[in-house]
Amino acid sequence: MESKVRITSGEGGIKHLYVHVPFCPKICPYCSFYKEASDRNRTQAFLDAVLLELDSAPYLQPTTIFFGGGTPSALSTRQLAYLINGLRELLDLSELQEWTIEMNPATVSEEKARLLRSLGINRVSMGVQAWQPELLDRLGRVHSAAQALRSYEILRSAGFENVNLDLIFGIPGQTAEQWRESLLQTIELGPEHISAYCLTYEEDTEYFLRLGAGEFVQDAGRDAELFEQTMDTLEQHGYSQYEISNYARPGKECLHNLAYWTGKEYLGLGPSAFSTVASRRWQNVPNTPDYIKRVRESGSACLCNEIITPDIHRAEKVVFGLRTNTGIPEELVEPWRQPIGELVTEGFVERNAGRIRLSRSGRMVADAIGEMFV
Ligand SMILES: C[S@@+](CC[C@H](N)C(=O)[O-])C[C@H]1O[C@@H](n2cnc3c(N)ncnc32)[C@H](O)[C@@H]1O
Ligand code: SF4
């Protein structure tokens, strides 16, 4: 394949690349990411489409690459080698600092972990969610707690020195004691990074229907308590909260996510992936067969286009930046001087040395505060 991605070292280009792999070993009933059960007949066509899409893409010289999903590790070792080698041929990786892959514990093997490490992947984000069998069962997870532990050990033995573990709190029936156990068991393993998400009932999920049917009950007060417990426990053990749901050892923040939150340009490949380049944002069609067809026909699967005006760009920088521990320069919120002043008075936003960010109590209501700016 002749490359159309013209890159000259030092000349710039898009610095952040996302690849969406839509396959999962089993569909979890709470998840609204675009995904489908793994389908062997479609995988090779998908991989070729991703490489073709990149071959037609704009100017790129990544410092970060993120394989997300779905479950990228649902690809076989051979398929991952094909995809990564294909990307390596098309990209100038001389400035690459971080290459992350999301993995489900049920899809980790020694051979796969070694191959990923040898091909330059240097960060793994693994979805553990909980350590209690009954909660894993309630979440419809495909793996056991023992398998998550074994997979973590495999990743360490393969040489991964930058590992994130995902956890979920607010699971129906989960007690504060169980959440404490999950946090402590995770901390004991010593990952460099922990993402702790509050369960959200997303509209197009089975969990949403079960909530509507009265099987589950949402309890904002309990979720707030678990969130407090999360911040306290992780901070006590040396994990700094650098964004609402993300905690890291010093220097181990996820560079790729920081790029999103600080409004950098990024290119997304694969079905449903978003891109933001040169004041334009678009999304690829969230349907794998359609994605493959469109890329084969035109090199692109772009579904819709939005112009990111300077006002939208500023509002997004405020919404995402306020959620980070470094916050944003105060002059960015000039158009919202009065509501920000009120949030400071009410203790939801804090000022320090010309920068502002959400306070601890502000982090509890971050989504509601974010809506003020959009
Ligand atoms: C795309 S998944 C990544 C990994 C892999 N697919 C897995 O599940 O192991 C990203 C993470 O999003 C979180 N997540 C997904 N749906 C969620 C929801 N409805 N509420 C809270 N967290 C959610 C989970 O912690 C999950 O690990
Ligand atoms: S949580 Fe992960 S494994 Fe489960 S359906 Fe979503 S992407 Fe797939």
Side-chain angles (χ1 to χ4, degrees):
M1 198 186 296
E2 192 198 330
S3 171
K4 287 183 220 144
V5 185
R6 288 173 296 279
I7 299 155
T8 314
S9 183
E11 209 184 295
I14 303 163
K15 300 291 182 199
H16 308 285
L17 174 65
Y18 174 78
V19 180
H20 191 86
V21 180
F23 309 116
C24 287
K26 183 184 168 204
I27 303 301
C28 307
Y30 55 86
C31 175
S32 70
F33 289 99
Y34 176 66
K35 76 281 173 194
E36 56 184 83
S38 297
D39 177 351
R40 277 160 201 249
N41 298 325
R42 204 173 273 163
T43 321
Q44 186 57 42
F46 161 77
L47 298 174
D48 286 328
V50 168
L51 296 177
L52 193 57
E53 194 190 3
L54 176 60
D55 200 32
S56 312
Y59 207 51
L60 198 70
Q61 190 177 41
T63 58
T64 71
I65 303 178
F66 196 104
F67 281 4
T71 306
S73 59
L75 295 172
S76 68
T77 304
R78 189 189 58 76
Q79 290 161 344
L80 282 164
Y82 183 84
L83 177 63
I84 296 166
N85 285 324
L87 291 178
R88 295 189 72 93
E89 274 178 34
L90 289 167
L91 290 167
D92 174 352
L93 297 179
S94 59
E95 293 193 356
L96 190 70
Q97 296 172 40
E98 179 189 278
W99 191 340
T100 303
I101 184 168
E102 286 188 332
M103 301 186 91
N104 179 304
T107 59
V108 176
S109 70
E110 283 177 25
E111 188 199 7
K112 200 179 279 184
R114 275 200 304 269
L115 172 106
L116 291 170
R117 192 67 201 92
S118 71
L119 290 181
I121 309 267
N122 58 12
R123 185 172 184 274
V124 170
S125 176
M126 186 165 75
V128 170
Q129 325 304 2
W131 289 105
Q132 300 77 7
E134 66 273 28
L135 294 184
L136 289 172
D137 195 39
R138 198 160 308 143
L139 288 172
R141 297 292 291 176
V142 67
H143 58 86
S144 65
Q147 209 171 6
L149 184 58
R150 173 86 190 112
S151 295
Y152 182 82
E153 284 163 356
I154 288 174
L155 294 172
R156 289 306 201 190
S157 310
F160 283 100
E161 292 175 356
N162 196 358
V163 176
N164 166 60
L165 299 179
D166 284 339
L167 297 174
I168 297 183
F169 64 91
I171 302 166
Q174 182 187 38
T175 63
E177 184 50 33
Q178 283 176 319
W179 179 234
R180 202 176 78 88
E181 260 172 41
S182 282
L183 286 169
L184 292 178
Q185 281 194 45
T186 305
I187 290 165
E188 205 172 312
L189 292 177
E192 284 67 32
H193 190 289
I194 297 175
S195 297
Y197 300 108
C198 182
L199 180 75
T200 47
Y201 291 87
E202 306 283 352
E203 267 186 36
D204 53 351
T205 62
E206 185 190 315
Y207 256 41
F208 186 77
L209 297 176
R210 290 163 72 179
L211 179 73
E215 187 186 336
F216 302 144
V217 180
Q218 260 185 311
D219 182 343
R222 185 204 51 164
D223 289 349
E225 276 170 30
L226 298 182
F227 185 41
E228 287 265 18
Q229 193 185 343
T230 311
M231 293 188 282
D232 289 342
T233 311
L234 292 177
E235 295 278 351
Q236 272 162 23
H237 288 85
Y239 291 90
S240 167
Q241 184 184 27
Y242 70 103
E243 194 270 348
I244 304 265
S245 307
N246 290 283
Y247 304 78
R249 296 267 192 224
K252 296 295 184 182
E253 297 82 6
C254 174
L255 300 177
H256 189 82
N257 285 340
L258 280 173
Y260 286 150
W261 299 328
T262 49
K264 301 287 190 305
E265 293 188 323
Y266 57 90
L267 183 77
L269 305 175
S272 83
F274 280 93
S275 301
T276 303
V277 180
S279 307
R280 232 185 97 214
R281 174 163 308 144
W282 67 93
Q283 186 186 15
N284 280 347
V285 62
N287 175 296
T288 306
D290 203 6
Y291 165 78
I292 294 167
K293 183 167 168 284
R294 287 176 189 234
V295 172
R296 279 181 180 162
E297 282 168 5
S298 68
S300 158
C302 169
L303 185 66
C304 52
N305 253 305
E306 182 191 0
I307 298 298
I308 307 297
T309 62
D311 284 349
I312 296 177
H313 190 58
R314 177 194 281 252
E316 290 181 347
K317 276 176 107 164
V318 169
V319 172
F320 290 117
L322 278 177
R323 298 166 68 104
T324 63
N325 66 341
T326 47
I328 47 172
E330 200 164 351
E331 65 258 21
L332 255 190
V333 292
E334 191 52 35
W336 302 278
R337 202 194 307 184
Q338 195 203 331
I340 285 287
E342 286 165 13
L343 289 170
V344 171
T345 310
E346 288 158 7
F348 291 121
V349 166
E350 54 196 25
R351 286 196 169 105
N352 187 16
R355 298 184 76 84
I356 59 166
R357 64 176 190 181
L358 294 179
S359 65
R360 203 168 221 254
S361 55
R363 289 173 185 197
M364 306 273 198
V365 288
D367 290 343
I369 292 178
E371 280 170 22
M372 291 172 45
F373 304 97
V374 288

